[in-house]
Amino acid sequence: MLRKSMRGVMKEVKKRGREEVGGRRWKIVSLIVSLLLCVCAAVAVVQGSLECVERVIPSAPAPNSVFEVTLKIKGELPLVVGIVEEIPEGFSFEGTDYEYYEVSGQKIAFAAINVTEIRYKVGAPSSGEGTFMGNWIDMLGDKEGDIAATTVIVGGGGAGAIGAEITPTPTPAPTVAAVTKASRVIPFLEAGKEVGMAFKDLDVSMITVKSNKNVSNMKVIIERMERSADITEPLGIPYTYFEIKLEGEGIESAEIGGRIEFKVDKSWISDNNIDETTVTLSRYDEKEEKWNALPTYKVGEDDTAVYFEAETPLFAIFAITGERKAEVATTPTPTPVTTLTPTIPTQSPTAQTTPTRSPTTPSPKPSGCKASFVFISLIVLLLLRKRRGERNK
């Protein structure tokens, strides 16, 4: 599928005219040579393994705003991955700090070389909704796949939401969000597709759901709660507890999981001397009556909070916890003890002459990457000769 997408991108570029393509020929050839040389260098060391590529949109885009999209490339380095992102109609590509990319219409092609994250900016329209789609190919592992589609609605409210319910807290605590309960409704959740929902004034800023079966009129309810006596206490210092419930047609027979993006107040981290790397989202297993820590990653921060993301196979009761920084014990410096050693006269040994051998210079070993470079150069020369022949006809 990705190869078809790349062919489509090249066809659209060719439509711009022979002069424009000719003017960019050396740039494209240079990019190909650089990419192949990096592949050669990576393979010469060790072959990496790509697991997947995920798209993260931290918050719902505001009307006419520019927001950031993050592509997370998960796997073992070295990695050389081709990625094609397609942004929705009405949205515009506003640039990226990443070096290796090409743009054609609503598609952006990235050459991800030994990186685990790519960020790019998108301009939102004044209203409406759109779905971000993409796919990838692992050039070292010879495999490809799709990036889960993500639907957003401009102006907040969450993707696919037609209704929202919010219960305010009269007097919120300083480090607790100002809203205790909120809900979103997804009219139709297609099997295998991801839908993201953004929340404001909650500890949870976004929930992304994915089902193995089609679900209609699914309601996602999130509510902050207090830990009851029959629920064991999780490891670490608790920040907050909350529960996520799902209601809708087909919920009972479907397996629904997803990602949860949440924020932790910086004042709580500072007041409790919390190590950011230990902040974890845990899910409570009612059958086994225990907490299961979920894979949790830091995704960003602002002036007041640090943002994290965790993956969960299902939705239930959750806890955000952290652990204090380890205190470094100070070891007193021991006082040195002076020991008197008696002096024993010694005889000077007779010097012996040792024959000196001339150093042997090792013969240089041939480089496999150098041979690959020669092969790549021949391919580029053949391509250029072929193009010159076609142009002279």
Side-chain angles (χ1 to χ4, degrees):
M1 182 181 295
L2 181 58
R3 292 189 180 95
K4 293 181 180 179
S5 300
M6 291 297 291
R7 292 193 192 103
V9 172
M10 296 309 298
K11 287 181 180 179
E12 291 177 14
V13 172
K14 289 179 180 179
K15 288 180 181 179
R16 298 183 182 181
R18 185 175 298 174
E19 293 182 0
E20 183 180 352
V21 175
R24 298 171 61 187
R25 180 174 298 155
W26 278 108
K27 179 182 178 182
I28 295 173
V29 170
S30 176
L31 178 61
I32 292 173
V33 173
S34 300
L35 178 59
L36 290 177
L37 286 176
C38 289
V39 172
C40 174
V43 174
V45 180
V46 65
Q47 181 171 327
S49 176
L50 177 67
E51 297 176 5
C52 64
V53 179
E54 294 181 353
R55 181 189 306 103
V56 178
I57 302 179
S59 60
N64 300 316
S65 67
V66 176
F67 60 96
E68 191 172 62
V69 178
T70 302
L71 298 175
K72 291 186 176 181
I73 306 165
K74 297 187 176 181
E76 183 180 353
L77 298 178
L79 290 173
V80 179
V81 185
I83 301 175
V84 174
E85 275 280 87
E86 183 173 356
I87 62 178
E89 292 293 336
F91 292 73
S92 60
F93 176 71
E94 298 296 334
T96 176
D97 293 333
Y98 189 67
E99 182 178 1
Y100 302 108
Y101 74 98
E102 290 287 342
V103 181
S104 179
Q106 297 298 107
K107 296 181 179 179
I108 311 105
F110 296 96
I113 307 170
N114 279 350
V115 295
T116 58
E117 188 175 276
I118 294 177
R119 297 174 182 265
Y120 67 92
K121 295 182 180 180
V122 175
S126 58
S127 62
E129 64 179 77
T131 301
F132 289 75
M133 303 179 66
N135 38 44
W136 54 265
I137 181 169
D138 183 358
M139 295 183 178
L140 298 182
D142 192 22
K143 57 183 178 180
E144 57 187 273
D146 293 331
I147 305 173
T150 308
T151 303
V152 296
I153 291 182
V154 177
I162 60 174
E165 177 184 344
I166 297 177
T167 304
T169 302
T171 54
T175 61
V176 178
V179 173
T180 61
K181 184 178 181 180
S183 65
R184 301 285 185 268
V185 177
I186 303 174
F188 181 73
L189 177 61
E190 185 179 352
K193 300 291 185 180
E194 280 191 347
V195 175
M197 297 157 287
F199 296 87
K200 293 183 178 180
D201 301 324
L202 271 172
D203 297 309
V204 174
S205 54
M206 175 169 281
I207 298 175
T208 302
V209 295
K210 185 177 181 180
S211 173
N212 65 334
K213 295 183 179 180
N214 294 341
V215 179
S216 300
N217 297 320
M218 186 175 75
K219 187 176 184 180
V220 181
I221 306 169
I222 177 172
E223 183 175 11
R224 194 173 71 242
M225 58 176 287
E226 298 294 333
R227 183 180 63 86
S228 58
D230 58 336
I231 297 179
T232 59
E233 189 172 352
L235 295 176
I237 302 173
Y239 175 69
T240 188
Y241 300 90
F242 61 91
E243 183 177 14
I244 299 178
K245 298 179 181 179
L246 304 179
E247 299 176 357
E249 301 173 12
I251 292 292
E252 296 79 8
S253 60
E255 296 179 2
I256 304 176
R259 299 193 306 272
I260 300 173
E261 184 179 301
F262 61 94
K263 60 183 177 180
V264 177
D265 197 277
K266 283 187 174 180
S267 63
W268 179 81
I269 294 176
S270 175
D271 293 344
N272 293 276
N273 195 29
I274 298 295
D275 183 354
E276 282 186 13
T277 62
T278 65
V279 173
T280 305
L281 182 68
S282 298
R283 175 178 53 83
Y284 186 69
D285 190 326
E286 294 184 357
K287 293 182 179 180
E288 298 186 5
E289 297 183 348
K290 69 174 186 177
W291 292 94
N292 294 321
L294 301 172
T296 307
Y297 311 93
K298 179 180 176 180
V299 295
E301 63 180 287
D302 55 26
D303 294 338
T304 59
V306 183
Y307 293 83
F308 300 87
E309 181 185 84
E311 299 178 2
T312 178
L314 52 89
F315 294 96
I317 296 175
F318 298 91
I320 301 173
T321 60
E323 297 180 8
R324 287 191 174 92
K325 295 178 181 178
E327 296 183 0
V328 181
T330 304
T331 304
T333 304
T335 304
V337 178
T338 305
T339 303
L340 298 177
T341 304
T343 304
I344 301 175
T346 58
Q347 294 181 352
S348 301
T350 304
Q352 297 181 356
T353 304
T354 303
T356 304
R357 295 183 179 180
S358 301
T360 304
T361 304
S363 302
K365 296 182 180 180
S367 171
C369 192
K370 184 178 295 183
S372 299
F373 176 79
V374 174
F375 178 70
I376 293 167
S377 301
L378 290 175
I379 292 176
V380 173
L381 288 175
L382 288 174
L383 288 174
L384 291 177
R385 287 177 182 175
K386 183 178 179 181
R387 289 177 177 171
R388 291 195 188 112
E390 292 176 353
R391 186 171 54 185
N392 293 331
K393 290 183 178 180

